[in-house]
Amino acid sequence: DQPRSRGLGDVYKRQFLFLVFVLVTITYGCKKIMPSEPSEAEVLDGPIDGLTTAQLIQFNKGDADFGEVFTSATGLGPIFVANQCASCHAGDGKGTPFVQFTRFGQSDTLGNTFLNFGGPQLQHKAIPGYTPEQLPLGAPKTSLIAPAVTGLGFLDAVEDAFLLALADPFDLDGDGISGRVHYNVIPSYVALRPNSIPKNGKYICRFGKKGGAYDLLHQTSGAYNQDMGITSLFEPIDVYSGQEIDPEVGTQTIHDVVFYLKTLKAPIPRNQQDSDVIAGKNLFNDINCAKCHTPSMQTGYSPIAPLSYKEFHPYTDLLLHDMGSELNDGYTEGFALASEWKTPALWGLGLSKMSQGGQYYLMHDGRALSIEQAIQMHGGEASQSRSLYNQLIENQKNQLIKFLESL
């Protein structure tokens, strides 16, 4: 019996060694074929540097809430556009025309009088037993895709005086560009940022495609309500019934999501020493793109210390510009005219395809399928820059686009 036991032991030993060999082979093979982890500059997600442990905990809580999937049991609808924040902002990046939303009504003095017909947003989906909203006949409308949400805390912390210094509403310098701040009526629940500069009871707003939202609390509360049909302490009116109902999402959840949005890091530029990128940056300035897509901004005081008094590089002036008939959808918002759009930030542009299925969808509604197409759609105040771009030779155009994709 003893020799037989040793024989079985040898078998078990050989089986064990074979199993180790297989596991090592699989592990090594996986390392060879699995893609390497992307660098921090290749992803949009992640917190700003310098947060405390408590702030990182709140950031992660807000991150989780941003991805929460709502159902009818947790307050979704009954009519809605999406069932989670992340469905429109995949990877914190831009949305696509496949998850676009429609705006059509507001209450103001600009002739867009469809707020009482379900505006300002069309809820085109519904939970079982309910009928989705229909666009009212004759309503001026626009289709929008969600913007990327990174770096928003820096934009939020820019003081009003900085934006007013960039504005030139009457084109006093004669350069054909007349950007203006969007003075709009704001809800009572927002807290005014330090050194706010009001005008005739209105305040400078800066978030949204036409800059109609004052701050990230205003923007986020409105998104819960209009996008998902979820009421909160801040936006208690049910989009279906038009009646005030109990909050369907907690106040702390809203604050956590706002904190998450405020503390998402700014996109990190790439390949900045590449000679073509450097040449493209110079061309960007030469053809006056930087007149509206302002390269650098400065924050003022923020209660979140890492956001205070920082220079950053968003490539936007946060102002409204007349983009001409090419981008006039007939839709007004707040006190922004139909042809006016807020300059979108260009940082992170080169990473947009990651959240858009590998394909660019640019401009407010995703109608441009390339950076080249987006440039050609710039009219109005941007017409001169478009013309100068078209005068560049092919290599210069490629350098300019390479620079934009490096942001």
Side-chain angles (χ1 to χ4, degrees):
D1 291 341
Q2 189 172 1
R4 186 178 180 184
S5 298
R6 285 199 299 270
L8 286 173
D10 290 340
V11 171
Y12 294 147
K13 184 177 181 179
R14 286 196 296 272
Q15 290 177 338
F16 173 75
L17 291 174
F18 177 75
L19 179 60
V20 170
F21 171 77
V22 170
L23 291 174
V24 169
T25 301
I26 291 174
T27 301
Y28 179 75
C30 287
K31 287 182 178 179
K32 294 287 284 184
I33 64 175
M34 290 290 286
S36 59
E37 183 177 345
S39 70
E40 189 178 0
E42 295 174 311
V43 294
L44 293 173
D45 195 10
I48 58 176
D49 291 332
L51 296 181
T52 66
T53 300
Q55 288 172 331
L56 284 171
I57 291 172
Q58 187 174 13
F59 175 90
N60 289 325
K61 177 64 168 59
D63 191 359
D65 291 332
F66 194 76
E68 180 181 359
V69 177
F70 287 91
T71 66
S72 57
T74 55
L76 180 68
I79 55 175
F80 61 98
V81 175
N83 63 356
Q84 63 172 162
C85 303
S87 66
C88 293
H89 305 275
D92 297 313
K94 291 180 182 294
T96 74
F98 308 106
V99 289
Q100 66 182 195
F101 49 101
T102 299
R103 294 274 174 81
F104 70 91
Q106 65 168 83
S107 58
D108 65 3
T109 59
L110 301 180
N112 184 354
T113 56
F114 286 81
L115 184 67
N116 294 331
F117 293 85
Q121 186 158 289
L122 182 72
Q123 283 81 34
H124 67 288
K125 298 177 183 177
I127 64 175
Y130 291 84
T131 302
E133 195 172 26
Q134 300 294 314
L135 188 69
L137 185 65
K141 67 179 180 67
T142 190
S143 296
L144 304 173
I145 62 171
V149 294
T150 51
L152 298 184
F154 292 98
L155 297 174
D156 186 58
V158 174
E159 293 188 339
D160 286 0
F162 189 97
L163 300 183
L164 287 168
L166 293 177
D168 184 16
F170 304 108
D171 192 20
L172 296 180
D173 62 5
D175 63 358
I177 297 173
S178 53
R180 67 184 183 95
V181 296
H182 188 171
Y183 274 109
N184 198 10
V185 178
I186 63 173
S188 60
Y189 59 75
V190 303
L192 297 179
R193 59 178 54 86
N195 302 313
S196 176
I197 303 175
K199 181 180 179 181
N200 299 327
K202 302 179 184 69
Y203 294 84
I204 295 175
C205 295
R206 62 188 69 184
F207 293 105
K209 300 288 186 175
K210 286 181 178 280
Y214 180 77
D215 64 3
L216 291 171
L217 177 59
H218 186 188
Q219 181 78 3
T220 301
S221 301
Y224 268 95
N225 186 247
Q226 293 293 318
D227 296 350
M228 296 181 285
I230 293 174
T231 58
S232 66
L233 179 67
F234 308 108
E235 297 287 347
I237 304 300
D238 176 54
V239 295
Y240 179 75
S241 67
Q243 303 298 311
E244 183 172 335
I245 64 174
D246 291 337
E248 295 169 314
V249 66
T251 300
Q252 187 58 52
T253 296
I254 296 283
H255 284 310
D256 289 341
V257 170
V258 169
F259 186 84
Y260 170 70
L261 295 174
K262 279 188 176 183
T263 52
L264 275 168
K265 75 177 194 294
I268 301 171
R270 300 159 307 286
N271 305 321
Q272 296 301 288
Q273 302 308 313
D274 183 285
S275 59
D276 283 338
V277 170
I278 294 171
K281 183 176 183 178
N282 291 331
L283 289 166
F284 183 84
N285 293 318
D286 291 343
I287 67 173
N288 296 326
C289 298
K291 289 274 189 175
C292 300
H293 292 284
T294 305
S296 298
M297 283 188 163
Q298 179 77 36
T299 66
Y301 167 78
S302 170
I304 303 171
L307 295 175
S308 280
Y309 307 112
K310 294 292 193 303
E311 182 178 327
F312 64 103
H313 308 284
Y315 289 86
T316 176
D317 58 10
L318 295 177
L319 302 178
L320 294 175
H321 292 276
D322 186 342
M323 298 301 293
S325 59
E326 295 95 329
L327 296 176
N328 185 337
D329 290 351
Y331 169 74
T332 63
E333 182 174 295
F335 294 88
L337 302 176
S339 62
E340 288 184 313
W341 298 92
K342 185 197 73 179
T343 307
L346 295 180
W347 59 5
L349 176 60
L351 302 179
S352 296
K353 289 190 289 187
M354 293 174 55
S355 63
Q356 296 184 310
Q359 165 69 58
Y360 278 127
Y361 296 99
L362 304 175
M363 308 307 286
H364 63 274
D365 56 359
R367 69 179 70 177
L369 303 183
S370 68
I371 295 176
E372 165 85 20
Q373 285 187 15
I375 293 171
Q376 298 301 341
M377 291 174 184
H378 280 57
E381 296 176 38
S383 297
Q384 184 186 43
S385 290
R386 179 179 62 186
S387 178
L388 290 171
Y389 170 81
N390 289 332
Q391 294 172 35
L392 299 176
I393 63 174
E394 196 64 25
N395 184 56
Q396 290 175 315
K397 291 179 180 178
N398 291 335
Q399 289 174 328
L400 176 59
I401 290 174
K402 190 170 183 179
F403 162 67
L404 293 171
E405 291 190 313
S406 78
L407 296 177

